[in-house]
Amino acid sequence: MKPQPVIVVHGGAGRVSEDRREAFLDGIREALDRGLEALESGGSIAAVREAVMSMEACEVMNAGRGAALDVEGNVSLDAGFMEGATRRFGGVTGVTSTMHPVLLAQHMASRGDFGQLIGAPASDELAHELDVPLCRPEDLIVEHRRAAHAENAHDAGADTVGAIALDADGHVAAALSTGGTNVKPPGRIGDSPIVGAGFWADDEEGVCVASGVGEVLMREGTARRCIRLVSSGLAATDAAAAALAATVDYEGDQRGPCGVILLTVDGRFAINHTSESMPAGWAGVDGNSEVRDVWSRTIAVER
Ligand code: GLY
């Protein structure tokens, strides 16, 4: 029997203040609605793109307009994209001229034999070459980020947005987008555009998107690790827990709160995080869905 098509999205591992909780959950619901519609009409690639574009436009989330500011008070955006059918990946970093870097990352997945990763200033030049909505760098900045920056607040709230989907033809896809860590140094690149760290998609194995402190996710190759664990026979929830365990330092000191969403090719999924919360949700074409800000925080005790 064919697995039911499903989309899973998250609005970032981190800590969501009570006054922003409903806005985050509404943003997740909107992303699921838009993603599910695209899943039914255009498949997994369209679904993850549309879901992430919806969250890039959600100003409480750390992506697109409303993303976290760097130490100099500017926004620069990273994004990643991967198609499970071909394993072609795309990544962009340092984007300042569109609030939808996910569109650039999707385009990069069509370049070369394997896809490609590009940085600034070529990423902004690409935005001007393609038919994507453009903006000024200052249009990406919203007031609550300015206020946090003025206080030198290091806490970005929640980190990165991401979506994964499985469609009726058995194809999976992954997309993610971020402003990176709060008060990051200019030019810093996180996990979101890095294949294997922030995302992985393979029709034979499954699909995963990670969120959290990029340096930890890059060090551990978290998205690839999740899917390798699924391939080695672990259930989705156990694979997520084991991959997150590896993001916790040996002493048990959790230096980088992280989270993952992952989906197997038979339609099973896991949403798991070590962070205080991770607004996220899933929706199936059968009409079932769920949206919450706190999910399983179980991590496997052994590395
Ligand atoms: N996870 C996003 C970043 O570290 O940039």
Side-chain angles (χ1 to χ4, degrees):
M1 202 172 71
K2 275 184 140 183
Q4 288 274 350
V6 62
I7 179 165
V8 186
V9 310
H10 77 78
R15 192 180 58 78
V16 173
S17 60
E18 196 49 41
D19 57 325
R20 297 224 169 92
R21 188 171 168 272
E22 274 316 307
F24 264 94
L25 297 180
D26 284 348
I28 296 295
R29 286 184 198 101
E30 274 183 45
L32 284 174
D33 286 350
R34 191 160 151 188
L36 190 61
E37 195 181 328
L39 183 63
E40 290 177 293
S41 57
S44 58
I45 289 174
V48 297
R49 179 190 63 235
E50 294 301 315
V52 167
M53 284 180 74
S54 168
M55 292 187 283
E56 286 174 331
C58 176
E59 293 185 10
V60 292
M61 294 185 183
N62 183 4
R65 180 169 156 79
L69 306 190
D70 69 16
V71 71
E72 292 177 351
N74 300 314
V75 166
S76 66
L77 306 171
D78 300 343
F81 203 95
M82 192 163 181
E83 311 172 354
T86 59
R87 299 198 303 169
R88 292 164 79 99
F89 69 91
V92 287
T93 74
V95 175
T96 63
S97 61
T98 176
M99 69 189 259
H100 293 304
V102 71
L103 294 174
L104 308 181
Q106 184 185 358
H107 175 81
M108 292 311 293
S110 66
R111 278 209 183 163
D113 291 337
F114 312 105
Q116 260 176 28
L117 168 66
I118 56 159
S123 50
D124 274 330
E125 286 160 13
L126 180 67
H128 284 87
E129 282 163 27
L130 299 179
D131 184 23
V132 302
L134 296 172
C135 71
R136 299 168 304 167
E138 55 269 35
D139 296 334
L140 298 170
I141 300 174
V142 297
E143 191 43 47
H144 72 91
R145 296 290 185 193
R146 262 197 228 283
H149 191 262
E151 288 170 22
N152 197 21
H154 278 253
D155 186 357
D159 165 88
T160 312
V161 305
I164 55 177
L166 167 71
D167 65 27
D169 295 323
H171 298 312
V172 295
L176 66 171
S177 184
T178 191
T181 48
N182 214 23
V183 294
K184 67 184 180 183
R188 177 258 183 199
I189 296 169
D191 61 296
S192 301
I194 308 293
V195 64
F199 61 99
W200 185 261
D202 184 337
D203 280 4
E204 301 293 319
E205 291 190 311
V207 56
C208 177
V209 159
S211 177
V213 178
E215 286 70 13
V216 176
L217 299 166
M218 287 189 278
R219 184 186 66 189
E220 301 300 335
T222 300
R224 185 72 183 105
R225 184 191 289 250
C226 266
I227 298 304
R228 273 203 199 285
L229 289 169
V230 165
S231 289
S232 74
L234 261 62
T237 46
D238 294 337
L244 284 176
T247 67
V248 178
D249 278 347
Y250 285 105
E251 299 82 10
D253 176 11
Q254 189 196 316
R255 304 275 163 86
C258 295
V260 293
I261 54 176
L262 93 97
L263 180 55
T264 65
V265 290
D266 58 2
R268 294 170 204 275
F269 61 86
I271 303 173
N272 200 337
H273 51 97
T274 59
S275 52
E276 198 174 298
S277 67
M278 187 168 81
W282 62 272
V285 293
D286 56 3
N288 289 319
S289 67
E290 191 180 2
V291 171
R292 285 164 35 190
D293 60 337
V294 178
W295 296 80
S296 171
R297 296 182 66 206
T298 316
I299 57 168
V301 287
E302 291 177 19
R303 290 174 62 98

